[in-house]
Amino acid sequence: MRKAEHTLKCNIFYELIQLACDPSRSLDAVLEPSCTGIHPMDYHLCWHLWFILRILRFKHPSESAEHALHIRYAEQLCQMELYHLAAIVLMHISDSLSRNNALNELGDRIADKADEETYIKLSTIARLPDYIIARSRYMRAKLEDDGAKMCLYALQGGMLDEAHSIFFEKVAPNMIISDDYESLGQLSGLFEEVSDQIPAWGPGGQIFTDFYRIKKRLEEIGDDEEVKEIIEWAHSLELRLVAMPVNSPIQRLAATVMSKYVFKLIYGYEGTETENLPLSYEDKLEIASDLEILPNFPMDSAASSTLIVTCKNGDQ
C-alpha cells in the first residue's frame, strides 16, 4: 500500500490531476524530473510542462525553482551540442540581469567549439542578440590570438575599452608596420562611430586613425585649402606622438614610422624642422638624407658618443 502511494505521488499524471483540482497548488513538484519517471537528470519534459502551464496561466513556481529549471535544461541541451536550443531556453529567464549573464556564459562556454553554422543558428533560430554572439566570437579570437578579430568583435560586442586597448597596443601598430592600411581604414571607420564613448581616445587610438586619414587625404588631395587642413592635422598628430605612451617595441616602431612621415610632411610644406617628435638622432639623419637637407638637430649625448666613436674608427 505504501509503495503504491509513493509511486502515485511520484507520477506526473497524479501531480497534474492535483494541479487541475487546485490551480493555486505550487508547480515546484511538477517541475522535478523525479515526477516524470524518465531520468532523474532529464529536464526536457519538465521544461515543456512549465511552458504549457505558464500559457494556461497556472500559478508560477518560485523564482529560484524556475531559474534552476532553465539553467539545468540548458545544460542538458549543451551536453547534446544543441546550443541554439539552450539559448532559447535561457532567454526565458525572467530577470534581465540573470538572463544576460546566463547567455554571456553560454557564449563563452561554446567559444572553442562553435563553428559558423552554430553562430548562424544562434542568430536566425534563437534570435540571440548580435552583441552576445560577437562576445562569443571575441573569446574564440582570443583563444586563437587573432588581434584584429578580437578588436572587431570587441567593438561589435560593445566592449569598447577592450577594443581600444587591443587596437592601440597591438593591432594598429602591427598594421602601420606591415603597411596594411586597408584593414586599418576599416577598423578606423568602426572606431570613429563610437569614439565619443571611449575614454582617452584622442591621445590613444585616434593617433592611428588620424594618421590613416592624413595618408588617405593626401592621395585624394584637390586644392591648397585641403593641404592646409592636412598640415593642421599633422601638427595635431605631432603633439600627440610626442606624448604617446609607448610600452612595447612594436608601439615604438610604429611611432617612429608615423613620426618620420609627419616630419617629412611638415618640412615638405612649411620648410620647418620639428624637433619634438620621438625620433632618434639616426632617424633624423636618415630623414635629412632623404630630403637632401642639412640637419640642424641637437644631438643627444648618447648619439654624440656613438657618432664620435664611429668617426674615430673610420679614421683608423
Short mmCIF file of all heavy atoms in Angstrom, two decimals, residues 188-232:
data_model
loop_
_atom_site.label_atom_id
_atom_site.label_comp_id
_atom_site.label_asym_id
_atom_site.label_seq_id
_atom_site.Cartn_x
_atom_site.Cartn_y
_atom_site.Cartn_z
N SER A 188 39.32 51.80 -38.45
CA SER A 188 39.22 53.22 -38.10
C SER A 188 37.79 53.71 -38.24
O SER A 188 37.28 54.44 -37.38
CB SER A 188 40.15 54.05 -39.00
OG SER A 188 41.50 53.73 -38.76
N GLY A 189 37.13 53.30 -39.33
CA GLY A 189 35.75 53.71 -39.54
C GLY A 189 34.83 53.22 -38.43
O GLY A 189 33.95 53.96 -37.96
N LEU A 190 35.05 51.99 -37.98
CA LEU A 190 34.22 51.43 -36.91
C LEU A 190 34.47 52.16 -35.59
O LEU A 190 33.54 52.42 -34.82
CB LEU A 190 34.51 49.94 -36.75
CG LEU A 190 34.10 49.04 -37.93
CD1 LEU A 190 34.59 47.61 -37.70
CD2 LEU A 190 32.59 49.06 -38.12
N PHE A 191 35.72 52.48 -35.33
CA PHE A 191 36.05 53.18 -34.08
C PHE A 191 35.49 54.60 -34.08
O PHE A 191 35.03 55.08 -33.04
CB PHE A 191 37.56 53.21 -33.87
CG PHE A 191 38.09 52.04 -33.09
CD1 PHE A 191 38.80 51.04 -33.73
CD2 PHE A 191 37.88 51.93 -31.73
CE1 PHE A 191 39.29 49.94 -33.02
CE2 PHE A 191 38.36 50.85 -31.01
CZ PHE A 191 39.07 49.85 -31.66
N GLU A 192 35.55 55.26 -35.22
CA GLU A 192 35.06 56.64 -35.28
C GLU A 192 33.57 56.72 -34.94
O GLU A 192 33.10 57.72 -34.41
CB GLU A 192 35.32 57.24 -36.67
CG GLU A 192 36.79 57.48 -36.99
CD GLU A 192 37.43 58.53 -36.10
OE1 GLU A 192 36.69 59.30 -35.45
OE2 GLU A 192 38.67 58.59 -36.05
N GLU A 193 32.83 55.66 -35.23
CA GLU A 193 31.39 55.65 -34.96
C GLU A 193 31.09 55.67 -33.46
O GLU A 193 30.03 56.14 -33.04
CB GLU A 193 30.75 54.41 -35.59
CG GLU A 193 30.75 54.42 -37.12
CD GLU A 193 30.19 53.13 -37.69
OE1 GLU A 193 29.71 52.29 -36.89
OE2 GLU A 193 30.23 52.96 -38.92
N VAL A 194 32.02 55.15 -32.66
CA VAL A 194 31.78 55.07 -31.21
C VAL A 194 32.85 55.80 -30.41
O VAL A 194 32.95 55.63 -29.20
CB VAL A 194 31.71 53.58 -30.76
CG1 VAL A 194 30.51 52.88 -31.36
CG2 VAL A 194 33.00 52.83 -31.13
N SER A 195 33.65 56.60 -31.09
CA SER A 195 34.80 57.24 -30.42
C SER A 195 34.39 58.13 -29.25
O SER A 195 35.14 58.29 -28.29
CB SER A 195 35.62 58.04 -31.43
OG SER A 195 34.82 59.06 -32.03
N ASP A 196 33.18 58.70 -29.32
CA ASP A 196 32.74 59.58 -28.23
C ASP A 196 32.44 58.80 -26.95
O ASP A 196 32.26 59.40 -25.89
CB ASP A 196 31.50 60.37 -28.66
CG ASP A 196 30.34 59.47 -29.06
OD1 ASP A 196 30.59 58.35 -29.54
OD2 ASP A 196 29.17 59.88 -28.90
N GLN A 197 32.40 57.48 -27.04
CA GLN A 197 32.14 56.65 -25.86
C GLN A 197 33.41 56.02 -25.30
O GLN A 197 33.35 55.26 -24.34
CB GLN A 197 31.16 55.53 -26.23
CG GLN A 197 29.84 56.01 -26.81
CD GLN A 197 28.99 54.85 -27.30
OE1 GLN A 197 28.83 53.84 -26.61
NE2 GLN A 197 28.44 54.98 -28.50
N ILE A 198 34.56 56.34 -25.91
CA ILE A 198 35.82 55.72 -25.49
C ILE A 198 36.68 56.74 -24.76
O ILE A 198 37.10 57.74 -25.35
CB ILE A 198 36.59 55.17 -26.71
CG1 ILE A 198 35.74 54.16 -27.47
CG2 ILE A 198 37.91 54.54 -26.27
CD1 ILE A 198 36.38 53.65 -28.74
N PRO A 199 36.96 56.52 -23.48
CA PRO A 199 37.82 57.44 -22.73
C PRO A 199 39.24 57.46 -23.33
O PRO A 199 39.75 56.44 -23.78
CB PRO A 199 37.84 56.85 -21.31
CG PRO A 199 36.65 55.95 -21.25
CD PRO A 199 36.44 55.42 -22.63
N ALA A 200 39.85 58.64 -23.32
CA ALA A 200 41.24 58.81 -23.78
C ALA A 200 41.43 58.36 -25.23
O ALA A 200 42.51 57.89 -25.61
CB ALA A 200 42.20 58.06 -22.86
N TRP A 201 40.40 58.53 -26.04
CA TRP A 201 40.52 58.16 -27.44
C TRP A 201 41.49 59.08 -28.18
O TRP A 201 42.30 58.62 -28.98
CB TRP A 201 39.14 58.19 -28.10
CG TRP A 201 39.15 58.04 -29.59
CD1 TRP A 201 38.83 58.98 -30.53
CD2 TRP A 201 39.51 56.87 -30.33
NE1 TRP A 201 38.96 58.48 -31.79
CE2 TRP A 201 39.38 57.18 -31.71
CE3 TRP A 201 39.94 55.59 -29.97
CZ2 TRP A 201 39.65 56.26 -32.71
CZ3 TRP A 201 40.21 54.67 -30.98
CH2 TRP A 201 40.06 55.01 -32.32
N GLY A 202 41.43 60.38 -27.91
CA GLY A 202 42.27 61.35 -28.61
C GLY A 202 43.76 61.07 -28.51
O GLY A 202 44.45 60.97 -29.53
N PRO A 203 44.30 60.91 -27.30
CA PRO A 203 45.73 60.61 -27.17
C PRO A 203 46.05 59.13 -27.33
O PRO A 203 47.20 58.72 -27.15
CB PRO A 203 46.06 61.08 -25.75
CG PRO A 203 44.78 60.90 -25.00
CD PRO A 203 43.68 61.19 -25.99
N GLY A 204 45.04 58.34 -27.64
CA GLY A 204 45.25 56.89 -27.79
C GLY A 204 45.04 56.44 -29.22
O GLY A 204 45.81 56.76 -30.13
N GLY A 205 43.96 55.70 -29.43
CA GLY A 205 43.71 55.11 -30.75
C GLY A 205 43.56 56.11 -31.87
O GLY A 205 43.84 55.80 -33.04
N GLN A 206 43.12 57.34 -31.55
CA GLN A 206 42.92 58.33 -32.61
C GLN A 206 44.23 58.73 -33.28
O GLN A 206 44.22 59.22 -34.41
CB GLN A 206 42.21 59.57 -32.05
CG GLN A 206 41.69 60.49 -33.14
CD GLN A 206 40.93 61.68 -32.59
OE1 GLN A 206 40.94 61.93 -31.38
NE2 GLN A 206 40.26 62.40 -33.45
N ILE A 207 45.34 58.53 -32.62
CA ILE A 207 46.64 58.80 -33.25
C ILE A 207 46.76 57.98 -34.53
O ILE A 207 47.17 58.48 -35.59
CB ILE A 207 47.80 58.46 -32.29
CG1 ILE A 207 47.82 59.45 -31.11
CG2 ILE A 207 49.14 58.46 -33.01
CD1 ILE A 207 48.85 59.12 -30.05
N PHE A 208 46.37 56.71 -34.46
CA PHE A 208 46.49 55.83 -35.61
C PHE A 208 45.42 56.11 -36.66
O PHE A 208 45.70 56.07 -37.86
CB PHE A 208 46.41 54.37 -35.16
CG PHE A 208 47.55 53.96 -34.26
CD1 PHE A 208 47.40 53.97 -32.88
CD2 PHE A 208 48.77 53.59 -34.79
CE1 PHE A 208 48.44 53.60 -32.05
CE2 PHE A 208 49.83 53.23 -33.97
CZ PHE A 208 49.66 53.24 -32.60
N THR A 209 44.20 56.40 -36.20
CA THR A 209 43.14 56.68 -37.18
C THR A 209 43.40 58.01 -37.89
O THR A 209 43.13 58.13 -39.09
CB THR A 209 41.76 56.71 -36.50
OG1 THR A 209 41.72 57.71 -35.48
CG2 THR A 209 41.44 55.36 -35.87
N ASP A 210 43.93 59.00 -37.17
CA ASP A 210 44.25 60.28 -37.82
C ASP A 210 45.41 60.12 -38.80
O ASP A 210 45.43 60.75 -39.86
CB ASP A 210 44.60 61.33 -36.76
CG ASP A 210 43.36 61.97 -36.16
OD1 ASP A 210 42.25 61.61 -36.58
OD2 ASP A 210 43.51 62.83 -35.26
N PHE A 211 46.37 59.29 -38.44
CA PHE A 211 47.48 59.03 -39.35
C PHE A 211 46.96 58.41 -40.65
O PHE A 211 47.38 58.79 -41.75
CB PHE A 211 48.50 58.10 -38.69
CG PHE A 211 49.69 57.78 -39.55
CD1 PHE A 211 50.65 58.74 -39.81
CD2 PHE A 211 49.84 56.52 -40.12
CE1 PHE A 211 51.76 58.46 -40.62
CE2 PHE A 211 50.93 56.23 -40.93
CZ PHE A 211 51.89 57.20 -41.17
N TYR A 212 46.03 57.48 -40.51
CA TYR A 212 45.43 56.86 -41.70
C TYR A 212 44.68 57.92 -42.53
O TYR A 212 44.80 57.95 -43.76
CB TYR A 212 44.47 55.75 -41.29
CG TYR A 212 43.59 55.29 -42.43
CD1 TYR A 212 44.09 54.45 -43.42
CD2 TYR A 212 42.27 55.73 -42.53
CE1 TYR A 212 43.30 54.06 -44.49
CE2 TYR A 212 41.47 55.33 -43.59
CZ TYR A 212 41.99 54.50 -44.57
OH TYR A 212 41.21 54.12 -45.62
N ARG A 213 43.94 58.78 -41.86
CA ARG A 213 43.16 59.81 -42.57
C ARG A 213 44.08 60.76 -43.32
O ARG A 213 43.78 61.17 -44.45
CB ARG A 213 42.30 60.58 -41.57
CG ARG A 213 41.11 59.79 -41.04
CD ARG A 213 40.46 60.50 -39.88
NE ARG A 213 39.88 61.77 -40.28
CZ ARG A 213 39.51 62.72 -39.42
NH1 ARG A 213 39.68 62.54 -38.12
NH2 ARG A 213 38.97 63.84 -39.85
N ILE A 214 45.21 61.12 -42.71
CA ILE A 214 46.16 62.01 -43.38
C ILE A 214 46.70 61.36 -44.65
O ILE A 214 46.74 61.97 -45.72
CB ILE A 214 47.32 62.37 -42.42
CG1 ILE A 214 46.82 63.34 -41.34
CG2 ILE A 214 48.48 63.01 -43.19
CD1 ILE A 214 47.83 63.62 -40.25
N LYS A 215 47.12 60.10 -44.54
CA LYS A 215 47.64 59.40 -45.72
C LYS A 215 46.57 59.27 -46.79
O LYS A 215 46.84 59.45 -47.99
CB LYS A 215 48.14 58.00 -45.33
CG LYS A 215 49.44 58.00 -44.55
CD LYS A 215 49.93 56.60 -44.26
CE LYS A 215 50.39 55.89 -45.50
NZ LYS A 215 51.65 56.41 -46.05
N LYS A 216 45.35 58.99 -46.37
CA LYS A 216 44.25 58.83 -47.33
C LYS A 216 43.93 60.15 -48.02
O LYS A 216 43.72 60.19 -49.24
CB LYS A 216 43.02 58.30 -46.59
CG LYS A 216 41.87 57.88 -47.50
CD LYS A 216 42.22 56.64 -48.29
CE LYS A 216 41.02 56.16 -49.10
NZ LYS A 216 41.38 55.01 -49.97
N ARG A 217 43.89 61.22 -47.24
CA ARG A 217 43.57 62.54 -47.82
C ARG A 217 44.65 63.00 -48.79
O ARG A 217 44.35 63.66 -49.79
CB ARG A 217 43.39 63.57 -46.70
CG ARG A 217 42.08 63.46 -45.94
CD ARG A 217 40.88 63.86 -46.78
NE ARG A 217 40.93 65.25 -47.19
CZ ARG A 217 40.50 66.27 -46.44
NH1 ARG A 217 39.98 66.03 -45.24
NH2 ARG A 217 40.58 67.50 -46.89
N LEU A 218 45.88 62.67 -48.50
CA LEU A 218 46.97 63.07 -49.40
C LEU A 218 46.84 62.41 -50.77
O LEU A 218 47.25 62.97 -51.78
CB LEU A 218 48.33 62.72 -48.78
CG LEU A 218 48.85 63.71 -47.74
CD1 LEU A 218 50.12 63.18 -47.11
CD2 LEU A 218 49.12 65.08 -48.38
N GLU A 219 46.25 61.21 -50.78
CA GLU A 219 46.04 60.52 -52.06
C GLU A 219 44.93 61.16 -52.87
O GLU A 219 44.88 61.01 -54.10
CB GLU A 219 45.69 59.05 -51.80
CG GLU A 219 46.81 58.25 -51.15
CD GLU A 219 46.36 56.85 -50.75
OE1 GLU A 219 45.20 56.50 -51.06
OE2 GLU A 219 47.16 56.12 -50.13
N GLU A 220 44.03 61.88 -52.19
CA GLU A 220 42.86 62.45 -52.87
C GLU A 220 42.89 63.97 -52.85
O GLU A 220 41.86 64.63 -53.02
CB GLU A 220 41.59 61.96 -52.17
CG GLU A 220 41.49 60.44 -52.08
CD GLU A 220 40.43 59.99 -51.09
OE1 GLU A 220 39.90 60.86 -50.37
OE2 GLU A 220 40.15 58.77 -51.05
N ILE A 221 44.07 64.54 -52.65
CA ILE A 221 44.19 65.98 -52.46
C ILE A 221 43.69 66.74 -53.69
O ILE A 221 43.93 66.33 -54.82
CB ILE A 221 45.65 66.34 -52.13
CG1 ILE A 221 45.73 67.72 -51.51
CG2 ILE A 221 46.53 66.23 -53.34
CD1 ILE A 221 47.04 67.96 -50.81
N GLY A 222 42.99 67.86 -53.43
CA GLY A 222 42.41 68.62 -54.53
C GLY A 222 42.94 70.03 -54.67
O GLY A 222 43.25 70.49 -55.76
N ASP A 223 43.06 70.78 -53.56
CA ASP A 223 43.50 72.18 -53.65
C ASP A 223 44.31 72.54 -52.40
O ASP A 223 44.49 71.73 -51.49
CB ASP A 223 42.30 73.12 -53.79
CG ASP A 223 41.25 72.88 -52.71
OD1 ASP A 223 41.64 72.67 -51.54
OD2 ASP A 223 40.04 72.89 -53.02
N ASP A 224 44.79 73.79 -52.38
CA ASP A 224 45.64 74.25 -51.29
C ASP A 224 44.92 74.26 -49.95
O ASP A 224 45.55 74.06 -48.90
CB ASP A 224 46.17 75.66 -51.60
CG ASP A 224 47.24 75.64 -52.68
OD1 ASP A 224 47.74 74.53 -52.95
OD2 ASP A 224 47.55 76.70 -53.24
N GLU A 225 43.63 74.52 -49.97
CA GLU A 225 42.88 74.54 -48.71
C GLU A 225 42.91 73.16 -48.05
O GLU A 225 43.01 73.05 -46.83
CB GLU A 225 41.43 74.98 -48.96
CG GLU A 225 41.28 76.45 -49.29
CD GLU A 225 41.85 77.35 -48.19
OE1 GLU A 225 41.60 77.04 -47.00
OE2 GLU A 225 42.54 78.33 -48.52
N GLU A 226 42.81 72.14 -48.86
CA GLU A 226 42.87 70.78 -48.32
C GLU A 226 44.26 70.50 -47.76
O GLU A 226 44.40 69.82 -46.75
CB GLU A 226 42.52 69.77 -49.41
CG GLU A 226 41.05 69.74 -49.78
CD GLU A 226 40.72 68.58 -50.71
OE1 GLU A 226 41.23 67.47 -50.47
OE2 GLU A 226 39.97 68.79 -51.66
N VAL A 227 45.28 71.03 -48.44
CA VAL A 227 46.66 70.84 -47.95
C VAL A 227 46.81 71.47 -46.58
O VAL A 227 47.40 70.88 -45.66
CB VAL A 227 47.67 71.44 -48.94
CG1 VAL A 227 49.08 71.35 -48.36
CG2 VAL A 227 47.61 70.73 -50.28
N LYS A 228 46.29 72.69 -46.42
CA LYS A 228 46.39 73.38 -45.13
C LYS A 228 45.70 72.58 -44.02
O LYS A 228 46.20 72.49 -42.90
CB LYS A 228 45.76 74.77 -45.24
CG LYS A 228 46.57 75.75 -46.09
CD LYS A 228 45.88 77.09 -46.17
CE LYS A 228 46.66 78.06 -47.06
NZ LYS A 228 45.98 79.37 -47.19
N GLU A 229 44.56 72.01 -44.36
CA GLU A 229 43.84 71.20 -43.37
C GLU A 229 44.64 69.97 -42.98
O GLU A 229 44.71 69.61 -41.80
CB GLU A 229 42.48 70.78 -43.95
CG GLU A 229 41.59 70.05 -42.95
CD GLU A 229 40.25 69.67 -43.53
OE1 GLU A 229 39.92 70.14 -44.64
OE2 GLU A 229 39.54 68.88 -42.89
N ILE A 230 45.28 69.36 -43.96
CA ILE A 230 46.10 68.18 -43.69
C ILE A 230 47.29 68.55 -42.81
O ILE A 230 47.65 67.81 -41.89
CB ILE A 230 46.57 67.54 -45.01
CG1 ILE A 230 45.38 66.91 -45.74
CG2 ILE A 230 47.64 66.48 -44.76
CD1 ILE A 230 45.69 66.44 -47.15
N ILE A 231 47.90 69.69 -43.07
CA ILE A 231 49.04 70.13 -42.27
C ILE A 231 48.61 70.42 -40.83
O ILE A 231 49.34 70.13 -39.87
CB ILE A 231 49.71 71.37 -42.89
CG1 ILE A 231 50.32 71.00 -44.26
CG2 ILE A 231 50.80 71.92 -41.98
CD1 ILE A 231 51.35 69.89 -44.20
N GLU A 232 47.41 70.96 -40.66
CA GLU A 232 46.89 71.18 -39.31
C GLU A 232 46.73 69.85 -38.58
O GLU A 232 47.06 69.73 -37.39
CB GLU A 232 45.54 71.90 -39.38
CG GLU A 232 45.65 73.37 -39.78
CD GLU A 232 44.29 74.03 -39.91
OE1 GLU A 232 43.28 73.36 -39.58
OE2 GLU A 232 44.23 75.20 -40.33
#
